[in-house]
Amino acid sequence: MSKRALITGITGQDGSYLAEFLLEQGYEVFGLVRRTSTINFGRIDHIQDQVTLLPGDMLDQTSLQSAIKAANPDEVYNLAAQSFVKTSWEQPTLTGNVTALGVTRILDAILHVKPDVRFYQASSSEMFGKVQEVPQRETTSFYPRSPYGVAKVYGHWNTVNYRESYDMFAVSGILFNHESPRRGIEFVTRKITWNAARIKLGQVEKLHLGNPDAKRDWGFAGDYVKAMWLMLQQDTPEDYVIASGDTHRVSEFVELAFDALGLDVEEHVVFNDPRYTRPAEVDLLVGDPSKAGAKLGWEPQVTFKQLVEMMVEADLKALREGQRAY
């Protein structure tokens, strides 16, 4: 009998890759979707007939309980969130309600409907913020530097609390930055590759960015969703840092993207645009994935250079075909 999994945020980058992966493992996959005026199923168009979509909202616990009853899942992956850091400054209350309290709602829904579910919470490297040690590992203290980071810390510790209070199999994956051609256009990596392709095609002249010196640990989302699954296949629930172990400046990402297209960075890129700076910056993130390597047997397959080139190629192809960005 095949396993059943419920994914919140199934229409997002991670949700779409995870749904693909679970289908390949023989799972019956259910996805939670909000009823909104602008529903975007673009990332799951190719698998939509293979998954069952259920209505629900992270702001509404009753709908979450109904979805869990309908899906009757063995595993729940909570990937839903207001996940854009810049927006969290502009909409801090909404971010807290969805990204923090949403975790409480779904944990409590599971507790009341099917407490033997194995639960995965999408934690974030943004929880480390003003980093207290380098590299960051599972034992590193959190020091979030945005409303998004603060909300993720709440969700992370509430997952620990439900695990310890109710003996639930509940884990958090502290994922460092992970990108793909399915990344939303509002994220800096996709903004870089999309606009580099537009410049190549003569559609725009300049790309405006914020801090070029911010350092991030970037990997491929398709690699990272496998780590989520592996965490739920273990005998005991534990939290894991999922990262590449390497860090790169935003400017390095730009250089690789523009080099792939034969473009001159100095001619086309404007850094330190005040429109794209944050009230509090996270300067350096680099994770230590050694625990995941030792206990899960997980390691990333796609290199930083391969990731950037993959995204550039996909965006160039999409623009030539007249497609819109996610």
Side-chain angles (χ1 to χ4, degrees):
M1 187 174 175
S2 61
K3 283 188 178 180
R4 299 159 71 93
L6 173 64
I7 304 171
T8 72
I10 193 171
T11 60
Q13 170 188 258
D14 292 7
S16 66
Y17 281 110
L18 178 61
E20 282 177 349
F21 178 80
L22 292 176
L23 287 169
E24 290 168 2
Q25 307 308 308
Y27 278 65
E28 189 171 350
V29 177
F30 297 80
L32 191 79
V33 291
R34 285 180 298 157
R35 296 193 187 280
T36 64
S37 57
T38 54
I39 297 175
N40 181 7
F41 292 150
R43 295 182 180 91
I44 59 169
D45 272 346
H46 61 298
I47 56 170
Q48 199 170 332
D49 62 343
Q50 300 175 61
V51 302
T52 303
L53 299 179
L54 301 171
D57 197 306
M58 299 304 291
L59 300 178
D60 180 58
Q61 183 161 348
T62 301
S63 69
L64 297 178
Q65 291 187 187
S66 297
I68 292 165
K69 286 177 183 175
N72 189 28
D74 300 289
E75 300 169 1
V76 172
Y77 296 85
N78 183 39
L79 311 184
Q82 189 304 99
S83 59
F84 188 37
V85 175
K86 184 174 184 294
T87 297
S88 78
W89 292 104
E90 298 157 1
Q91 300 180 2
T93 305
L94 174 67
T95 301
N97 211 342
V98 176
T99 307
L101 288 175
V103 183
T104 303
R105 293 187 188 100
I106 194 161
L107 281 167
D108 216 51
I110 290 169
L111 181 65
H112 286 93
V113 176
K114 199 169 188 282
D116 62 339
V117 159
R118 293 193 166 207
F119 175 79
Y120 172 85
Q121 165 60 14
S123 288
S124 168
S125 59
E126 288 285 331
M127 300 189 305
F128 295 121
K130 188 175 181 179
V131 299
Q132 302 301 291
E133 66 175 336
V134 178
Q136 294 88 56
R137 48 183 64 89
E138 291 80 7
T139 54
T140 303
S141 298
F142 299 137
Y143 196 139
R145 296 269 282 174
S146 67
Y148 170 76
V150 171
K152 281 292 186 182
V153 169
Y154 176 99
H156 178 90
W157 280 116
N158 223 20
T159 302
V160 173
N161 186 252
Y162 270 71
R163 177 170 73 218
E164 295 179 351
S165 299
Y166 303 110
D167 198 28
M168 291 173 65
F169 195 107
V171 305
S172 287
I174 307 173
L175 269 60
F176 280 65
N177 295 63
H178 47 289
E179 318 297 322
S180 76
R182 300 179 194 172
R183 182 54 116 174
I185 195 68
E186 69 271 20
F187 289 85
V188 67
T189 50
R190 185 75 193 289
K191 180 180 177 181
I192 291 166
T193 60
W194 183 257
N195 283 287
R198 291 179 72 202
I199 290 168
K200 180 66 175 180
L201 296 175
Q203 296 179 6
V204 292
E205 278 293 316
K206 299 286 185 181
L207 167 60
H208 292 255
L209 296 168
N211 179 13
D213 297 319
K215 292 182 177 180
R216 295 292 183 271
D217 183 328
W218 278 299
F220 173 51
D223 288 341
Y224 285 38
V225 298
K226 183 178 180 181
M228 301 176 185
W229 174 76
L230 285 168
M231 289 180 215
L232 295 192
Q233 312 314 308
Q234 304 306 303
D235 292 334
T236 55
E238 296 182 49
D239 304 326
Y240 292 86
V241 162
I242 304 300
S244 75
D246 293 319
T247 190
H248 301 274
R249 289 182 173 84
V250 170
S251 59
E252 290 179 68
F253 198 109
V254 173
E255 286 162 11
L256 276 178
F258 276 67
D259 283 351
L261 295 170
L263 296 171
D264 183 354
V265 173
E266 291 187 8
E267 183 181 345
H268 296 289
V269 182
V270 178
F271 288 114
N272 292 309
D273 187 319
R275 292 176 295 174
Y276 304 114
T277 57
R278 299 175 180 178
E281 183 60 82
V282 175
D283 298 316
L284 169 64
L285 291 175
V286 56
D288 175 3
S290 57
K291 179 182 175 183
K295 290 198 169 187
L296 303 179
W298 178 87
E299 59 182 32
Q301 303 299 308
V302 177
T303 67
F304 176 63
K305 186 173 186 287
Q306 289 171 335
L307 172 66
V308 177
E309 292 174 350
M310 173 202 305
M311 292 176 67
V312 168
E313 289 170 14
D315 282 342
L316 193 61
K317 181 175 183 287
L319 283 162
R320 282 175 171 158
E321 294 175 355
Q323 297 177 22
R324 295 172 60 190
Y326 293 120

